[in-house]
Amino acid sequence: MGERKIRKAETREPEAYKQEKIWETASELKPDPFRKQDSLILIRSGIHEKKIRNTPFPGELLWIQVQYITPVFWVLQGGVLSLLLLLLYRMPGQRAELTDYLWWSSIAAAWMGVLSNGVLGRHFSSRMAELEQSCYINLSQMWTIRMILTTGVDIFTLTMFSGGIAARTDTFFGRIAMYLLVPFMLSNICCLLMISALRNGRGKYTLAALAVITALLAMAPSVFAEVYTTAYLWVWFCLLVLGAVIFAGQIRSCYGRMTKGEMICWN
Amino acid sequence: MLELRLEKVSKVYGGKRAVDGIDCVLSHGVYGLLGANGAGKTTLLRMICGILEMTEGRILCEGIEIRKMGAEYRRLLGYLPQNFGYYPEFTAKKFLLYLAALKAIPKKEAAQKVEELLRLVDLEQVKDKKIKTFSGGMVRRLGIAQALLGDSEVLILDEPTAGLDPKERIRFRNIISALSKDRIIILSTHIVSDVEYIADKILLMKGGKLLSTGDIEQMLTQVRGKVWECCVRPEEAETYQAEFSVSNLRNTEQGVKLRIVSDSCPLPQAIPVDPDLEDVYLYYFRELD
């Protein structure tokens, strides 16, 4: 029986056979209890000293930011959204003119931009930027996440609202979206300029002033109703493209200055 | 053991060299960074934290440039900025949990650590109160607590004891002393006694340059024989104060007792005395005054 087993083993690969023999011998060995104890102590201390590094997933990063964004932001955003919904459902259907809708919704779009940028500016107005930049998830990353989050919410809201207006005024959806994205872009540019340029002007009062200024600017085209006609569509398109280019340039500059520390270390 | 190597680190602001070619190696222990206002301490600390880009030079952590290490270097950091801010509507606990999240500390571990740190800095009773209701000292203690989150291997504290009362300062010194094993702690302060008690090494900065480095005993040796005490008449005290670097002045029954830092014997009746760290500070910074 034993002879047959050995012969069977010899036919296998030599390395596998060697491994089997080692295990067979090991099972018969009895470890020295003192050396075993010493080894266990060593392993335990190794485990104790080992630092487990946690690397958050993108979803976790997003959740952290959602959790810690000031509730005031969500309340005000909710307020603007409610205003838009109220406007959409209170306007008397087909009888309302396109400009009637655009007057209010342009202001709301401008305010959305101010609110979103207010979230970004808070790092500076609360003097937290320096500390946050030194953390594992640093300020630049937080800005990116918050920008995606808040701008995403804003653009989604404006798109939905554009759809609503388009349906009620028999106007092409893309045209309404463009009319609303221009004041939104404009307010984003103004706010980012304020955040990056002014040292002490990042507080709530400056934001309130900006909300008034951008609202006035957003309202201005409604005074000249013809600017919302198809003849001026190319102007709106150019404004939107120009705004997007300026905004992209501003963001690039902000990130560069943040990385260098110029935007964070004022004194 | 962790090592930070600073090689020719400089920062130029519009032609002015705020930090000028600093070379040094930092391994575990408490480093006291001393210097007058505008000496470049905060700028240097910001560069060590990787917050501020240096104009020249490089900082290496275990032989790797910190700029290249990025987030992995920041993971090692605990930082208390000089202008420590906070979100006023946050409670102390929420604030620490927020920073723990930014430091990528797992949630369960963070909750435990936050409670432990709140106890350590004596803010446990007010942990659910909004920070905007805190006194300056309490905010500073909260700042110290956040720097200790995550068992950072490099702890950088810029003026940590500013605004703390003597009891709180002692508590802070004890915390730092207990933490000094196996990590690099850099402490910038104006309060010489804080450094004297807990620092293993002193870094003296002046005009953006590192004037002198060494342990306290080495520093004291440098000014031994240069500190004098003498009694003068009250009407003469003001003249001598203008003439010499006086580190202390005390009214006694015999007259005014002056403690003078001077390379040579300032007055015939002056006798040499043992120096302390304040004398060292005055010795190096007297030209500024």
Side-chain angles (χ1 to χ4, degrees):
Chain A
M1 188 73 177
E3 221 174 280
R4 207 182 300 156
K5 201 175 176 184
I6 291 165
R7 233 179 263 145
K8 201 178 170 187
E10 277 171 346
T11 57
R12 289 186 209 158
E13 289 291 311
E15 192 58 35
Y17 174 67
K18 222 189 280 175
Q19 286 287 329
E20 198 174 294
K21 286 298 276 181
I22 289 169
W23 280 110
E24 263 177 34
T25 324
S27 64
E28 287 161 18
L29 284 174
K30 286 213 170 125
D32 175 352
F34 295 107
R35 288 181 69 184
K36 185 182 172 182
Q37 193 60 28
D38 288 348
S39 301
L40 283 174
I41 290 170
L42 211 65
I43 291 166
R44 269 190 212 112
S45 75
I47 292 167
H48 186 69
E49 279 167 21
K50 181 94 183 159
K51 287 196 171 158
I52 299 161
R53 305 253 191 240
N54 173 39
T55 306
F57 293 107
E60 267 179 274
L61 295 178
L62 193 71
W63 177 237
I64 290 168
Q65 295 308 316
V66 171
Q67 268 182 304
Y68 292 103
I69 284 179
T70 171
V72 179
F73 168 76
W74 297 116
V75 170
L76 290 175
Q77 276 284 18
V80 174
L81 186 66
S82 309
L83 180 82
L84 283 173
L85 288 173
L86 195 74
L87 171 75
L88 195 64
Y89 290 104
R90 283 292 299 271
M91 286 278 181
Q94 298 295 328
R95 275 176 293 139
E97 292 289 324
L98 175 65
T99 45
D100 295 333
Y101 285 109
L102 290 176
W103 197 73
W104 275 107
S105 47
S106 297
I107 297 172
W111 283 350
M112 279 179 170
V114 173
L115 286 175
S116 299
N117 282 279
V119 170
L120 302 180
R122 274 200 95 219
H123 299 282
F124 298 96
S125 61
S126 304
R127 289 181 290 119
M128 278 291 287
E130 195 178 338
L131 177 59
E132 285 169 334
Q133 183 70 349
S134 74
C135 292
Y136 177 77
I137 304 166
N138 70 358
L139 188 64
S140 312
Q141 290 163 324
M142 267 192 275
W143 255 47
T144 310
I145 300 165
R146 289 191 175 191
M147 223 182 274
I148 291 169
L149 190 74
T150 55
T151 313
V153 169
D154 290 345
I155 289 179
F156 176 75
T157 310
L158 288 176
T159 309
M160 297 312 270
F161 194 68
S162 300
I165 298 176
R168 280 160 185 265
T169 56
D170 285 333
T171 316
F172 176 54
F173 157 78
R175 196 173 139 197
I176 309 286
M178 195 160 62
Y179 290 147
L180 295 186
L181 282 174
V182 169
F184 176 69
M185 191 66 81
L186 176 84
S187 77
N188 271 293
I189 291 170
C190 291
C191 292
L192 215 51
L193 187 71
M194 179 205 68
I195 290 169
S196 60
L198 299 179
R199 185 178 173 172
N200 297 314
R202 296 154 169 169
K204 52 188 172 189
Y205 298 111
T206 320
L207 277 178
L210 262 175
V212 174
I213 294 166
T214 53
L216 288 172
L217 285 171
M219 266 194 280
S222 304
V223 180
F224 314 98
E226 67 272 21
V227 296
Y228 286 121
T229 56
T230 45
Y232 285 90
L233 262 181
W234 68 274
V235 177
W236 287 95
F237 179 74
C238 289
L239 280 175
L240 186 63
V241 172
L242 185 69
V245 170
I246 293 173
F247 188 57
Q250 275 183 312
I251 290 175
R252 192 167 176 265
S253 155
C254 281
Y255 275 96
R257 290 175 63 208
M258 239 189 272
T259 311
K260 286 180 182 170
E262 290 166 7
M263 206 168 148
I264 295 164
C265 309
W266 287 99
N267 61 331
Chain B
M1 201 159 298
L2 197 73
E3 184 190 89
L4 274 181
R5 186 179 287 272
L6 280 70
E7 291 179 356
K8 305 255 176 296
V9 173
S10 302
K11 181 72 191 176
V12 182
Y13 286 116
K16 189 189 178 265
R17 296 187 84 84
V19 172
D20 193 3
I22 286 189
D23 280 301
C24 69
V25 179
L26 311 170
S27 54
H28 78 286
V30 182
Y31 292 82
L33 184 60
L34 282 177
N37 287 328
K41 302 187 297 293
T42 298
T43 305
L44 178 66
L45 294 185
R46 281 169 172 168
M47 287 192 286
I48 296 175
C49 283
I51 294 168
L52 191 63
E53 201 176 64
M54 55 202 101
T55 315
E56 290 156 26
R58 57 186 194 156
I59 299 172
L60 306 167
C61 176
E62 297 290 83
I64 308 167
E65 254 191 89
I66 60 165
R67 196 169 42 88
K68 288 179 186 159
M69 285 177 78
E72 285 313 311
Y73 176 68
R74 294 198 299 273
R75 213 194 261 279
L76 305 174
L77 271 183
Y79 177 46
L80 173 66
Q82 190 181 32
N83 302 311
F84 171 67
Y86 53 87
Y87 294 118
E89 78 279 9
F90 276 23
T91 63
K93 189 178 171 182
K94 189 178 175 183
F95 182 77
L96 291 182
L97 284 172
Y98 168 65
L99 283 158
L102 297 190
K103 289 181 182 207
I105 302 171
K107 227 173 174 181
K108 206 173 162 188
E109 194 187 314
Q112 258 178 352
K113 190 74 189 168
V114 163
E115 291 295 335
E116 191 186 305
L117 286 171
L118 283 167
R119 252 195 316 276
L120 192 73
V121 296
D122 201 20
L123 290 174
E124 205 190 11
Q125 305 293 316
V126 290
K127 65 180 179 184
D128 295 318
K129 292 236 165 79
K130 286 188 176 171
I131 309 173
K132 64 182 173 190
T133 64
F134 283 13
S135 69
M138 286 160 90
V139 170
R140 209 67 197 159
R141 277 187 276 154
L142 186 66
I144 292 165
Q146 68 75 27
L148 302 178
L149 276 166
D151 289 327
S152 319
E153 287 177 58
V154 181
L155 204 52
I156 296 170
L157 308 164
D158 198 355
E159 310 256 353
T161 51
L164 296 187
D165 65 33
K167 193 181 148 202
E168 287 165 347
R169 284 221 322 261
I170 292 166
R171 181 196 278 264
F172 165 76
R173 290 202 299 241
N174 292 340
I175 294 170
I176 296 300
S177 293
L179 286 171
S180 63
K181 195 178 162 254
D182 296 335
R183 68 185 89 205
I184 300 169
I185 302 178
I186 310 171
L187 196 77
S188 153
T189 181
H190 284 115
I191 302 161
V192 179
S193 63
D194 282 345
V195 170
E196 197 163 20
Y197 278 112
I198 55 171
D200 301 312
K201 276 196 172 177
I202 309 287
L203 309 169
L204 274 180
M205 262 191 98
K206 185 179 175 181
K209 288 187 171 141
L210 216 50
L211 271 190
S212 184
T213 325
D215 60 35
I216 292 178
E217 199 42 52
Q218 284 171 328
M219 289 280 170
L220 295 177
T221 308
Q222 285 172 29
V223 293
R224 201 152 276 141
K226 290 165 183 170
V227 184
W228 313 82
E229 267 186 6
C230 59
C231 262
V232 295
R233 289 201 301 274
E235 59 271 23
E236 292 171 335
E238 210 170 306
T239 319
Y240 291 131
Q241 242 186 307
E243 199 175 331
F244 302 111
S245 297
V246 177
S247 69
N248 197 23
L249 183 149
R250 202 170 69 236
N251 283 306
T252 63
E253 281 177 11
Q254 291 83 38
V256 179
K257 197 172 189 179
L258 299 179
R259 188 179 174 95
I260 299 170
V261 179
S262 167
D263 284 317
S264 54
C265 183
L267 294 165
Q269 70 271 34
I271 51 158
V273 289
D274 277 340
D276 58 28
L277 203 55
E278 277 187 353
D279 299 318
V280 175
Y281 185 88
L282 196 67
Y283 180 75
Y284 280 105
F285 293 94
R286 57 193 168 161
E287 284 163 35
L288 277 181
D289 301 330

